[in-house]
Amino acid sequence: MKKLVTLLFILMLIPGCSNYRELNQLGLVIAMGIDVSKNIENGYRVTFQVINPSQLSPTGATTGIPVSNYTAEGETLVDAYRRASIIIPRDNDVTHLSLIVISEELARKGTNLIFDAFERGKQAKTTFPVFIARGTSAENVLGVVEPLESNPTKSVRSTSENNQKYYGISKTIPSHEVIATLSSEGKDLLLPGIKLNKKLTSKNQTDNLNNIKPSVIEVSGLAIFKKDKLVGWFDGENARNANLILSELDSTSFSIPCEKKYMTLITKRSKGNIKTLLKRFPTLQVNIALNTEISEVNCNKDLTDTKVLTDIENDLEKEIIRQVQRTIQISQGTGTDVFGFGSSLSKENPRYWKKHKKEWNTIFSKAKVEVKVKASINDSGLVTDPYEPK
Amino acid sequence: MSGENHNHIIPLSENVEENIEKLEMALGKSDDLSIRRLNVSAKNVAIIHIEGIVDDQSINENVISPIIQLNKENHPFKSTKELADKIVQILSVASIEFIFNWSDLLENILAGDTVILVDDSPKAITLGTKKIQSRSITEPTTQTVIKGPKDSFTENISTNISLVRSRIQNAKLRLKLTKVGNVTKTDVGIMYIQGNADISIVNEVMSRLEKINIDSILEANYIEEAVRDNRKTLFPLMQSSERPDVVAANLLEGKIAIIIQGTPFVLILPVLLIQFFQSPEDYYENNAFSSFLRLIRIGSFLLNMYASAVYLALITHHQGLIPTTLMVTLMAQRERVPFPAIIELLLMELAFEVLREAGVRMPRAIGPAVSIVGALILGQAAVEAGFVSAAIVIIVATSAINSFTLPNTNIVNTARGLRFLLIFSSAFIGFYGILLLTLCILVHLCSLRSFGVPYVAPFAPFRMGAQKDSLIRFPITSINMNDTEGNKETKTK
C-alpha cells in the first residue's frame, strides 16, 4: 500500500505543469485567413476567427454576431499568432481550428512552407480543409455572416460540402493531404476556391442577415498549383470534370442536347481511372465509368425504346469525352500535372520516370490524351415518356 | 467466548429458594423475571422464565398444567430423582436439557428457555420455549425484482434458516450455530452445502468468528468488518443479501452464508467482484436479455464512477477532444458561471449526496417536499441563476441515475468513494490522472482476496469455463454450477 502511494505520487509529479484551463477563459479560434502582409516584407497578415460563445447559447436569443475576427501581422504565422494577443482578450485555443483560407495573392506568390506551423505545433490538428480566397483577401471572405449559417467558417465548409454533393466543383482537401501532395512527385496540387458572391452592401454586418438577397460564400473553381504557386483555375464544368477524373465526385449532372432543347442526366456513381501508357511517348489515358439516371427531358423521346436509350448513352459519352479532353488541355496548358499522371507513370515505369522526371511537365503538356467513357442509364425516373401538350 | 468463566465451576444449590434468590440477584431483580412456585409431593418446584421472549401459551398448557395435574394425582415419589424424571416425561415440550451450573442457567434463561428447579436436585431442567416476537415475512425492500420470489429474510434467525432450508431440501445442507458478542451473545448461523463448499473456508470462517472479540453484534456489518481479509479496501469483500433465493443460489454454488439474529441481511462469502453486477433476476429471465442487462449494469457502474471525472478532464484539460459544436455549446453555458469547473462539479456532487442522504433519512410524509426542492432548486433554478452550468447538472444526474441500476448497494458505495478520488486526480492532471488512478484501482483489485479467493476471478486468474456466467449468462443448462463458484479458486492454488 505504501509502495503504491509512493508510486502514485511520483507518477503524478512526472507530467509537470498542468494545462488546466477553464472554458470561460478560452478563445476558440475556428478559422484562420492568411493574406500578404502590407507592412512586413514577406510577412503574413493573419485573420483569426474567434467564437463568441455567448452569442451561440442554446437557449438565449442571439443579439449579435457569433464570431469576432482579429487581424494581426507577423513574419511567420506563429509570430502573428503571438502578436495577436495585443487585441485578443482570451487564451487562444487552436485545437478546434476547422478552416484555413489563403488569399489568391499569397497563393500566386507561393505558399512556401506555410503549413509547417500546423504540422509542428503540438496543439493544432492537420485535418482542417484549405481554401483559396479567389480574387479577394481571406480577411474579406471570413468577414461575412450569412443568414443560414451561424458563422463564416461554417458557411465556407457547408457551401463547399453541399456543392460536392450536388455538382462537384469544390472539394474538401485537409491540410495533411495538401502537405502530402506538395511533397510528392508527379502530382500537383488542386485547391478549392471560394469568394463572396457580391460585396457587402452595408458596413453593418447584421444588415446582411436581414437582406433577402444576402452576400454569401460562393464556391468558385479549383486553383491549379505548380509546386507551391497558383498558376490558373479550373472553372465550373472543368472543375467538376477534374473531380470526375480524380474519381472524387459524389454526384453531378450532365446536360446533352436533344431536338434543340436539352435533357439532363444525373450521375449516381462514377469512377475515374488514370493511366500513363508508354508507347514511344507517354500517352495519358483516362477511363471513366458512370451510372446515370435521366432526371429531366425537355424534348420528345420514346424512353421505352432501348435503342433510344443506347443513343442517349452514346451522346452522353461523347459529351463527357469532349469535356474531359478540354479539362486536361487546360491542365496541359498550364504545364501542371494535377491529376497525377506522373505519379502513375513512376509506379508503372520507374526507370523511364527517373530519367525524365525533371522535364515531366513539358512531356505532360505535349502528351497525347485518350479518354474512354462508359456511361449507362439505370433509371428514367417515375415516368417513361414526357407529357405532350395538346 | 464466555467472559464469566468463574460461573462454570459454581454448581447449582439443591435448595430452590436459594437458587431463586441468587438468580434474582444476578438479574438485578429484573421485573420481567417470572417465577412460578409449585409444590409437588411436598417438594418445592419453581418454573422460571423471562417474560416476552417465551411462548406463554406453550408454558401454560405444556409445562404448568401437566405439573399441576401431577400434583393432583398425588404420586408417592421415592426420591427427588424420580420426581424429576417424572416431570421430564409428562412435559410436552420438544427440547429438554439438564444443566448443572450457574453460567448455563443464566444463559438459558436469557435466551428464552424455561427452567424448572426442583428441591434437593442438583440439576435444573431447561425447556426450549423460546419465542421471539418478529415481523412477518415481507417483500424485499432493497433488492427488488420484477419477476421472481417475493419473500425476504426477517430479523429472526430461525425464520431465516427455515426460508433457506425450504429452498434446499437436501441432507447435505449444513448449519452450525454459535454465539458471537461478549455482551449481546447473538446467535450466528453458518450454512453451507457439504461437498459444494470448500471445507477449509468453512473452518476458516468458524475460526475467524471465534476470534471476534467485540461486545455487540447488532447487524451483519459488525461481523463483516470483524472478519474481512483486508480492512483498508473500499471494495466489499462480502455480499449481503436479504433475499433467500440469492442465498440459496450462492449456497448451491459452494458459497457460505452467515445468518445473524436481529438482521434481515445475510452475509455471503467468499465473494467475487462480478457477483455485485449479477441480479437474481438474471436467472429468472431469458438469458440473452439477462446478459444484455448485465452488460448495462457494468456500463452503468463505470459511468457512475467515471462520468464526472471524464467530463472534468475534457473541459479543463483536453478541450481539443470535444466536437467543436458541443464545445461551443459548453462554452456558452459556462460563460457566466462564477466558479471553476472543479468547484462547480464538487458542489453538485455533494448536493446530490446530501439529497440522497436526506431521502433515506427523512420521514415518509415530507418525501415529496424534498424531491421538489431537489429537482427544482438544485436542477433548474441553480442553472437559471447562473450558479452552475446545465452540463454539470446533466453529468451529475447521469452518474446518479446509473448508480441505481446495480442490484447490490455495497458496490455503489465503493463507486461513490472512488468517484471523488477520480474527480480530484482528473482536475489535477486530466486523463493522465484518471488513467493513473484506474491503474492503481486495477492493481489493488488484483491484490484483493475474499477468504483466500482472488477477488477478480474468473478474469484474473482467467478461467474459461467460468466465463459462461460472468459478464454474460449462458443458458442455465449449459452452466456448470460447480465451475462458477469461488471455492475452485482455492483448490487450484
Side-chain angles (χ1 to χ4, degrees):
Chain A
M1 197 66 192
K2 211 175 247 174
K3 270 186 204 159
L4 201 68
V5 172
T6 322
L7 186 71
L8 190 63
F9 187 68
I10 292 170
L11 286 172
M12 285 269 194
L13 292 178
I14 286 173
C17 292
S18 139
N19 55 342
Y20 185 97
R21 287 190 303 178
E22 288 289 344
L23 282 190
N24 41 13
Q25 296 163 355
L26 281 186
L28 211 58
V29 178
I30 53 167
M32 276 169 71
I34 309 171
D35 291 308
V36 176
S37 168
K38 285 166 192 161
N39 305 321
I40 303 168
E41 204 183 334
N42 288 326
Y44 300 113
R45 180 179 171 79
V46 187
T47 304
F48 297 95
Q49 187 153 86
V50 180
I51 284 268
N52 178 2
S54 51
Q55 294 302 330
L56 285 166
S57 123
T59 48
T62 58
T63 49
I65 303 162
V67 289
S68 304
N69 286 358
Y70 296 94
T71 303
E73 298 199 349
E75 276 95 9
T76 63
L77 292 184
V78 174
D79 192 37
Y81 176 69
R82 292 276 164 172
R83 286 193 195 191
S85 64
I86 57 171
I87 40 174
I88 303 182
R90 287 190 173 190
D91 195 352
N92 289 336
D93 183 88
V94 289
T95 51
H96 285 270
L97 191 62
S98 48
L99 178 69
I100 291 278
V101 181
I102 299 170
S103 72
E104 185 173 353
E105 189 192 357
L106 180 64
R108 284 201 185 269
K109 282 174 77 178
T111 57
N112 282 320
L113 302 176
I114 205 169
F115 298 103
D116 178 75
F118 301 108
E119 262 196 318
R120 198 178 297 280
K122 285 174 184 136
Q123 269 206 333
K125 295 184 261 196
T126 49
T127 49
F128 49 81
V130 182
F131 286 87
I132 302 292
R134 187 169 184 183
T136 177
S137 69
E139 194 178 349
N140 280 348
V141 169
L142 290 177
V144 172
V145 185
E146 58 176 90
L148 275 185
E149 291 294 352
S150 58
N151 60 64
T153 307
K154 200 144 178 258
S155 306
V156 172
R157 290 191 64 155
S158 51
T159 310
S160 163
E161 273 157 25
N162 196 44
N163 177 263
Q164 285 170 56
K165 216 179 283 170
Y166 280 91
Y167 197 75
I169 291 176
S170 195
K171 65 196 247 181
T172 308
I173 306 179
S175 63
H176 61 83
E177 232 175 275
V178 175
I179 297 166
T181 312
L182 281 175
S183 48
S184 70
E185 282 180 347
K187 190 175 183 189
D188 280 306
L189 185 61
L190 274 179
L191 280 178
I194 44 165
K195 63 180 185 187
L196 292 176
N197 68 336
K198 60 180 186 184
K199 276 205 168 132
L200 270 180
T201 43
S202 158
K203 284 225 163 180
N204 189 346
Q205 277 282 348
T206 46
D207 284 353
N208 197 40
L209 299 175
N210 295 327
N211 194 338
I212 194 163
K213 286 179 81 179
S215 173
V216 293
I217 296 289
E218 178 185 325
V219 301
S220 175
L222 289 173
I224 305 170
F225 277 75
K226 190 173 203 169
K227 285 190 176 162
D228 65 327
K229 285 191 176 63
L230 193 157
V231 291
W233 289 89
F234 281 139
D235 267 309
E237 277 179 3
N238 291 317
R240 185 265 315 270
N241 297 337
N243 283 332
L244 179 62
I245 296 166
L246 290 167
S247 201
E248 282 169 4
L249 202 60
D250 282 349
S251 174
T252 187
S253 64
F254 287 99
S255 291
I256 53 171
C258 107
E259 295 170 10
K260 291 179 188 163
K261 287 282 187 183
Y262 293 95
M263 63 190 293
T264 296
L265 296 102
I266 55 173
T267 67
K268 282 292 173 192
R269 212 173 293 136
S270 60
K271 186 143 178 51
N273 189 14
I274 58 164
K275 232 184 212 166
T276 314
L277 302 176
L278 201 62
K279 351 176 171 161
R280 281 193 60 211
F281 294 107
T283 309
L284 314 179
Q285 198 184 54
V286 179
N287 288 308
I288 293 168
L290 34 81
N291 292 345
T292 61
E293 182 184 318
I294 300 173
S295 53
E296 187 173 352
V297 183
N298 289 345
C299 56
N300 270 313
K301 281 225 161 161
D302 181 11
L303 295 181
T304 51
D305 189 348
T306 48
K307 210 186 149 291
V308 173
L309 289 176
T310 318
D311 286 345
I312 297 173
E313 282 176 355
N314 289 338
D315 288 350
L316 178 64
E317 283 169 6
K318 272 180 212 151
E319 171 68 18
I320 296 174
I321 290 172
R322 194 182 61 78
Q323 287 193 13
V324 167
Q325 269 176 335
R326 205 179 56 206
T327 304
I328 296 178
Q329 272 161 21
I330 293 172
S331 174
Q332 285 177 317
T334 57
T336 59
D337 177 11
V338 291
F339 304 109
F341 286 106
S343 160
S344 154
L345 181 66
S346 72
K347 278 168 206 152
E348 274 165 43
N349 213 321
R351 276 168 63 199
Y352 180 87
W353 173 252
K354 238 180 189 171
K355 229 158 103 190
H356 296 91
K357 70 177 174 190
K358 287 214 172 116
E359 72 253 24
W360 169 248
N361 278 352
T362 0
I363 299 171
F364 168 74
S365 299
K366 289 173 189 158
K368 225 180 116 217
V369 180
E370 274 177 21
V371 182
K372 284 181 192 162
V373 176
K374 178 81 196 79
S376 55
I377 296 169
N378 294 20
D379 194 356
S380 66
L382 294 176
V383 291
T384 46
D385 297 343
Y387 65 89
E388 277 178 69
K390 278 172 186 164
Chain B
M1 269 187 297
S2 171
E4 299 144 49
N5 280 331
H6 56 280
N7 274 339
H8 273 301
I9 43 166
I10 300 176
L12 295 173
S13 157
E14 293 194 1
N15 184 325
V16 169
E17 285 308 320
E18 214 170 276
N19 280 334
I20 288 173
E21 201 177 315
K22 206 170 171 189
L23 187 63
E24 279 186 328
M25 287 289 287
L27 293 176
K29 298 206 167 157
S30 186
D31 289 334
D32 58 358
L33 182 70
S34 153
I35 303 163
R36 174 75 193 263
R37 291 183 177 82
L38 289 169
N39 199 298
V40 183
S41 301
K43 298 265 185 218
N44 280 329
V45 173
I47 303 164
I48 306 166
H49 66 261
I50 290 179
E51 285 166 19
I53 55 172
V54 295
D55 187 349
D56 283 334
Q57 201 185 347
S58 166
I59 292 176
N60 290 341
E61 287 174 9
N62 306 333
V63 182
I64 298 178
S65 70
I67 293 177
I68 291 173
Q69 193 65 36
L70 181 73
N71 191 25
K72 281 182 188 158
E73 284 168 14
N74 238 335
H75 280 283
F77 291 107
K78 284 172 195 157
S79 66
T80 313
K81 190 179 178 301
E82 201 182 332
L83 172 65
D85 288 347
K86 184 70 187 171
I87 287 177
V88 168
Q89 276 170 29
I90 60 168
L91 296 180
S92 39
V93 175
S95 109
I96 293 180
E97 274 175 48
F98 298 106
I99 49 175
F100 300 90
N101 61 52
W102 264 103
S103 145
D104 290 352
L105 179 75
L106 265 175
E107 207 167 276
N108 285 12
I109 285 183
L110 288 169
D113 289 347
T114 301
V115 175
I116 301 175
L117 297 172
V118 182
D119 247 353
D120 302 334
S121 167
K123 60 184 179 185
I125 307 160
T126 63
L127 314 166
T129 55
K130 181 175 185 169
K131 187 185 179 188
I132 290 172
Q133 294 300 319
S134 74
R135 62 187 173 96
S136 55
I137 295 168
T138 54
E139 278 194 34
T141 51
T142 59
Q143 292 157 335
T144 48
V145 294
I146 297 171
K147 195 181 158 202
K150 302 278 187 197
D151 55 348
S152 73
F153 288 124
T154 68
E155 285 75 12
N156 191 337
I157 187 168
S158 46
T159 313
N160 295 351
I161 291 168
S162 71
L163 284 173
V164 177
R165 274 228 185 258
S166 69
R167 280 184 167 77
I168 309 172
Q169 298 171 9
N170 193 301
K172 292 202 164 162
L173 180 63
R174 300 280 190 269
L175 171 71
K176 284 186 177 163
L177 280 172
T178 173
K179 283 185 189 288
V180 187
N182 298 342
V183 174
T184 56
K185 308 224 184 298
T186 311
D187 288 318
V188 173
I190 297 161
M191 279 187 120
Y192 61 94
I193 295 179
Q194 184 79 44
N196 284 19
D198 185 337
I199 205 70
S200 66
I201 298 182
V202 176
N203 293 335
E204 174 68 20
V205 173
M206 289 299 284
S207 79
R208 285 195 200 180
L209 282 180
E210 266 161 36
K211 278 183 205 145
I212 292 177
N213 183 23
I214 51 178
D215 285 347
S216 58
I217 303 292
L218 298 176
E219 213 279 329
N221 189 50
Y222 285 61
I223 300 240
E224 189 175 342
E225 284 193 16
V227 304
R228 66 182 166 190
D229 298 55
N230 181 340
R231 289 173 192 204
K232 284 178 191 159
T233 184
L234 278 173
F235 286 89
L237 294 178
M238 273 181 233
Q239 188 187 348
S240 63
S241 178
E242 59 168 346
R243 299 185 59 90
D245 52 332
V246 172
V247 172
N250 276 297
L251 288 176
L252 288 165
E253 286 183 13
K255 303 259 166 51
I256 298 157
I258 304 182
I259 305 175
I260 299 134
Q261 168 69 36
T263 175
F265 289 93
V266 170
L267 293 174
I268 299 164
L269 58 98
V271 75
L272 309 179
L273 181 64
I274 191 71
Q275 267 178 265
F276 293 101
F277 304 103
Q278 299 172 345
S279 160
E281 213 168 4
D282 286 355
Y283 305 92
Y284 308 152
E285 294 273 8
N286 176 303
N287 74 302
F289 186 60
S290 307
S291 303
F292 168 68
L293 288 182
R294 208 176 260 188
L295 293 175
I296 291 257
R297 270 179 236 129
I298 293 169
S300 291
F301 175 73
L302 293 176
L303 256 181
N304 176 30
M305 248 167 80
Y306 283 98
S308 312
V310 167
Y311 173 73
L312 189 66
L314 280 177
I315 66 161
T316 57
H317 288 87
H318 314 280
Q319 290 96 353
L321 291 175
I322 311 174
T324 307
T325 322
L326 180 61
M327 176 77 174
V328 172
T329 314
L330 292 177
M331 283 178 80
Q333 287 177 15
R334 282 208 45 82
E335 205 51 31
R336 282 178 194 83
V337 175
F339 308 112
I342 167 77
I343 302 290
E344 195 188 353
L345 184 59
L346 285 178
L347 272 180
M348 284 314 282
E349 286 283 359
L350 288 174
F352 169 69
E353 292 297 333
V354 167
L355 267 184
R356 187 187 172 118
E357 186 64 11
V360 176
R361 222 58 63 197
M362 74 199 165
R364 289 266 157 76
I366 55 168
V370 170
S371 49
I372 289 168
V373 169
L376 287 185
I377 310 270
L378 287 174
Q380 218 176 335
V383 173
E384 276 172 17
F387 273 47
V388 292
S389 64
I392 288 274
V393 177
I394 295 170
I395 292 294
V396 172
T398 309
S399 114
I401 284 290
N402 275 300
S403 72
F404 297 127
T405 61
L406 295 170
N408 210 304
T409 48
N410 309 35
I411 199 79
V412 176
N413 296 340
T414 308
R416 277 160 89 180
L418 291 176
R419 187 164 70 220
F420 282 98
L421 288 181
L422 282 163
I423 287 173
F424 283 120
S425 57
S426 149
F428 187 36
I429 41 176
F431 276 140
Y432 182 65
I434 296 181
L435 277 177
L436 273 186
L437 197 57
T438 306
L439 212 64
C440 291
I441 293 171
L442 286 178
V443 169
H444 174 65
L445 275 176
C446 290
S447 77
L448 282 181
R449 295 283 182 279
S450 173
F451 287 83
V453 177
Y455 196 51
V456 275
F459 308 110
F462 186 82
R463 277 193 310 124
M464 199 60 205
Q467 303 298 326
K468 282 183 176 173
D469 185 21
S470 48
L471 286 177
I472 55 170
R473 180 176 82 74
F474 278 55
I476 286 173
T477 44
S478 76
I479 303 172
N480 178 4
M481 279 297 179
N482 270 325
D483 203 26
T484 58
E485 85 236 23
N487 67 349
K488 287 288 180 287
E489 303 300 333
T490 44
K491 281 177 183 169
T492 52
K493 262 203 303 186

